Each structure stands twice: as C-alpha cells, then as structure tokens.
Amino acid sequence: MVDVQSETVDRYIKDGKIKPDLSVPFGDKRMFHYFREKSVRNIAKQYGWDLITPQNMADKFMKFIETMDMSFSYKPVLLKAIYEYMDSNGRVALPDVVDYFIDFYEDRKAHGMIAEKPNSIYQKGGYTKKDVEKNILSNPFKRFEDMRFLMRCKDVETVEVNPIIFRKLTREDWLHIVDVCDKSLEKYYLRIKK
C-alpha cells in the first residue's frame, strides 16, 4: 500500500518505529505482520510515504522505473523481458522470462562483456533454469510485487503487469520504459566495469 520496499517496513518494525496490529509466527524465525488500513495511512503520514492507490499506481510505476535503484542489472532485464513476451493482457509466461534472462547474460559473455558482478549466478555460470527462476522471483520480481506493480498469476507459471497499470500504459509508454531500461543498463555496466 506504500511506496517503500518491504525491507524498509521490516527494518522499521525491527527498530520499533512501527508496531503491527497483528503478528503471526511463520516458521522458526519469520513473522507475518498485518496492519489495518487506518494504521497504514497513519504510518505513511508519519514517515512521509505515499500511498499507492488505483488512481496513482501507473504514475508510481513509471516513477519507480525512472528512479530505479540497481544493485544488479535484474530490474531492467525483467522489464525488457516482460515487454518482449507479454500478451494483450500484460501476462508473460515465466519460462519465457527465464529464457530471456539466460539469453541476455549469455549473449553478453559470448561477446566478451561482463555478464554481472562476480557473485551473480550469470557471471559464475553453471546455473539451471530453476536457479534463474528463483533468482528472478526473489530479486527483481519481488521489488515490483511488493508495490503491487507486478503479480504472479494463479497458475504460478505466469506473471503479469497489474491490470490497473496495464490498462493505462500506451505503446509509447512501453517504448519509453524499454529506453529507460537500456540507458539504466548502459550506466550500470559502465559503473561495474570500474
């Protein structure tokens, strides 16, 4: 509901800045934290976070892309894969995204370029499609999912752009997204080369 990442919320909970309305243990070390809508609104106001609503979701999505922070190159690669393979409803088969990631990084290596940072599976090599899928879902996809920009479909083999966002984006918007991703990747690889 807010435009900050789940790790930020988790840190605020851990530091005692935020108190959930309900916490339920999940496994040995994890907790599910629940908040009433009123609590979320108060917390967002207190910390200057914006609420993500159906009315502003597409704008927030575009802003997130424009200001994309990148520890790895995964977010723009994910967006480019979605653009490449999405159907008329904004849905993409997860195996297509996996293949796109493999092709992207293997092509870089085949052309004598760095695939990624040394600790990335794409630079190390020897990964499986399952490893790539796990990497995609835990890294770039989770960031977009946390903010409800992307969702995993019920069949689990498909991911989709939130329909609220998808309906508002034009072809020109998507071309702009791809352009931003290309420029972000260019800057990223110049940065990690040094």
Side-chain angles (χ1 to χ4, degrees):
M1 289 182 65
V2 294
D3 65 347
V4 294
Q5 295 178 1
S6 62
E7 288 84 0
T8 302
V9 175
D10 290 341
R11 191 175 66 248
Y12 276 52
I13 292 169
K14 185 179 172 214
D15 294 346
K17 295 179 181 178
I18 295 175
K19 185 171 177 355
D21 294 312
L22 174 67
S23 294
V24 178
F26 173 67
D28 291 339
K29 299 179 183 179
R30 295 186 58 203
M31 299 285 275
F32 279 128
H33 302 289
Y34 296 92
F35 298 87
R36 290 185 182 92
E37 189 172 333
K38 183 179 179 185
S39 299
V40 172
R41 290 183 186 287
N42 290 337
I43 292 165
K45 187 176 182 181
Q46 179 181 356
Y47 293 105
W49 299 340
D50 287 337
L51 292 173
I52 299 173
T53 65
Q55 294 76 23
N56 71 11
M57 191 175 279
D59 291 336
K60 292 284 183 193
F61 176 69
M62 294 300 283
K63 183 179 178 191
F64 184 76
I65 292 166
E66 293 280 349
T67 59
M68 196 169 8
D69 65 316
M70 293 172 50
S71 300
F72 291 91
S73 58
Y74 307 150
K75 287 178 197 155
V77 175
L78 175 61
L79 291 167
K80 286 171 64 78
I82 288 170
Y83 176 73
E84 180 77 23
Y85 290 109
M86 70 183 170
D87 66 13
S88 59
N89 295 310
R91 291 189 182 112
V92 184
L94 191 52
D96 287 340
V97 177
V98 168
D99 288 343
Y100 188 95
F101 266 66
I102 292 168
D103 292 346
F104 178 85
Y105 293 107
E106 290 304 319
D107 183 64
R108 287 190 62 83
K109 286 166 75 172
H111 286 88
M113 296 183 280
I114 296 169
E116 245 304 338
K117 292 178 181 174
N119 61 336
S120 167
I121 63 171
Y122 306 107
Q123 188 64 32
K124 290 178 186 175
Y127 53 80
T128 66
K129 285 189 176 200
K130 203 70 187 156
D131 295 333
V132 174
E133 180 181 311
K134 184 180 174 190
N135 175 253
I136 291 166
L137 293 174
S138 68
N139 249 313
F141 181 78
K142 184 181 181 316
R143 297 284 182 248
F144 290 97
E145 185 182 42
D146 282 350
M147 298 174 85
R148 298 178 301 160
F149 296 152
L150 298 179
M151 305 179 317
R152 199 129 175 229
C153 297
K154 289 178 185 149
D155 67 11
V156 182
E157 283 293 308
T158 309
V159 295
E160 71 177 314
V161 178
N162 185 314
I164 294 167
I165 295 171
F166 189 75
R167 283 191 297 271
K168 291 183 179 179
L169 297 182
T170 64
R171 177 167 162 62
E172 289 72 28
D173 290 330
W174 279 105
L175 293 174
H176 177 70
I177 289 167
V178 170
D179 185 53
V180 168
C181 289
D182 288 339
K183 287 175 180 167
S184 295
L185 286 167
E186 194 177 312
K187 285 181 198 168
Y188 174 78
Y189 283 112
L190 282 173
R191 192 177 82 224
I192 69 165
K193 264 192 196 173
K194 296 177 180 178

